Structures are given as structure tokens and as C-alpha cells.
Amino acid sequence: MRKVAAIHDLSGYGRASLTVVIPVLSHMGYQVCPLPTAVLSAHSEYAGFRSLDLTGFMSESIAHWKTLGLTFDAIYSGYLASERQMEIVEGFFREFGNERNFIVVDPVVGDRGTLYPGMTAEMVKGMRRLCARAGVITPNLTEAAFLLGRDPREETTPEEAARWCRELSEMGPERVIITSAPRVNGRNATLAHDRKDGRTWRVTSEHVPVAYPGTGDAFASVITGCMLNGESLPEAIDRAVYFIQMGIKATFGHAGNPLDGMDQERVLHYLNAPLPCYNYELI
Ligand code: PXL
């Protein structure tokens, strides 16, 4: 059984982080080994959320994993609650990263032009250092702007966003995927660049006028699973976009609270279904 070390928080309500990462990767046939960064009553977009920081316990868990001699086929990090946690995760990458596995960093710091509550400029710097050590990073457009030191509220063109992918790859990661990229002909766009072969890809999907938290976690989890499965970068993006699109449509028809996230439970089976078609384009 191939194993993924999943370094994310556990949010009790609102589908995000580990409550998304575990079902997606389990459904794709991988063993998920969580290294929880924090326990929250609900994800941080719900007003009044409570949070228990697990920084000390992370170091304890890592020390125990070392004594067990564990190895991982992929290491995948997301929401981190402090700068100190970023240092710990950097150490984890050094200790557990090797020639045979790969590192995915989802640099969770913000969305829609702003940082999430509790995120700081210092934490953005810490995230930059983690991205430099990753093989694949999956920022949304806001996170890409923060990582590059640009103004996340400024209008960005599709061409600029494609350039950002290339610039971010020069910071270290071989593959950069930017989600929520500027729309093209009214369609949502996901962009990706592979520094090794120099190619840049785009996958577009129907725009649905709603935003569900946690879709970035679902997206990066599918990408991690597809990479473990040896799929190409554009095929992995096609699969992740397809899964999110099915989840959004399965949810949008109901009149629920968007903060609760997408009804992934209705669509997990699509993860193992054949892709109906390829949509990726070389740009
Ligand atoms: O989906 C990213 C995420 C992860 N973890 C926590 C969050 C969020 C986004 O809001 O609040 C705690």
C-alpha cells in the first residue's frame, strides 16, 4: 500500500483539510497518514472558530515516526498554523523526502485577494521556503500573488497568470499549478507549468457562481493521487478539475450554506471512473 504523509489541520465542521484529504486519497487507493497541525471547531471562515495548536505534538509524532522507520511515497502539506510549524515541516521534508518520493505543497494562506484569518506576512515567507523544497505546488491566484510579492487585489490577465506559473517554478518547484486563474471566455481556468519540459497547460471549466471552501484541498489531493499513479501533469489537472466540477454541480442544486463546502460524499466514486474526455490545452 502506498502511503501519503498528510500535514493538514482537522476542522470539525465545514469540509476542508483532513476531512477532504483523507476520503479523496483513500478512495484513490492510498493510505493516508495524517500529521495534524491543529484541531479547529470549524474551518477558519466560520466566525468564532476555536483552534487548538498542535505544534508540540507534531514534533512528538515525527520523533515517533522516525523510531518506527516509516517511509512515505508522497508528502503533502496544506494549512499550517504558525511560522514554527513551517520550520518543523521543512525539517520533515529534509528527513523524509528522498529520491523515490515527492513533495506536494498546497500553500494555504488566503483566497479572493486576502490572507485567511491568523495568516501573517512572516507565514507567507515560511510558505515560500516550503514551496522551494516541493516538487509540485498548488496555489490559488491569491496565494500565487502573495508568494511572488505582488498585490493580490490587482486585476491579473490570463497571460500574466501563466507567467506567474513560470516565475514560481523558478523559486524551486518543478511543477506549479495555479487554480482560480483569470477566466477565459467566461470559463474558469487552471494553469500549470512544468519547468523540466518547459510546457504550460490550461484546463478550463464551466463557471458556477458560488465558492465552496475546501475545494482547493480536494483539488490538491486529487493531484497528489494522480502523481502517485504516474499520470501526466495535464491529465492530473483534468481529473482534479473534473472531480471539483462534479462536486460543485452536485452541491449547487441544493440550497445549503456554501461555507459547509461541496458535497464530496455524492461524487467520490467519480475519482475512479474513466475521464469522459480530455480538456487540457497547451498554451
Ligand atoms: O481549505 C483551506 C483551509 C484549511 N484549513 C483551514 C481553513 C482553510 C480555509 O479556510 O480555514 C483551517
Side-chain angles (χ1 to χ4, degrees), residues 28 175 177 190 192 194 197 199-203 219 222-243 270-282:
M28 294 178 85
R175 292 168 158 184
I177 304 171
T190 303
D194 186 320
D197 68 17
R199 294 193 288 182
T200 305
W201 306 96
R202 180 171 64 208
V203 173
F219 181 90
V222 180
I223 295 291
T224 303
C226 289
M227 295 282 136
L228 277 166
N229 201 24
E231 285 168 28
S232 71
L233 177 62
E235 176 161 1
I237 297 166
D238 249 340
R239 278 189 190 281
V241 167
Y242 175 62
F243 177 65
Y270 288 110
L271 288 170
N272 295 324
L275 260 187
C277 62
Y278 289 103
N279 287 312
Y280 67 72
E281 317 161 63
L282 188 64

Side-chain angles (χ1 to χ4, degrees), residues 9 11 16-17 40 43-45 79 108 116 213-214 217:
D9 69 282
S11 289
S17 44
L40 285 82
H43 67 60
S44 68
E45 294 198 60
Y79 178 92
V108 177
Y116 289 128
D217 300 317

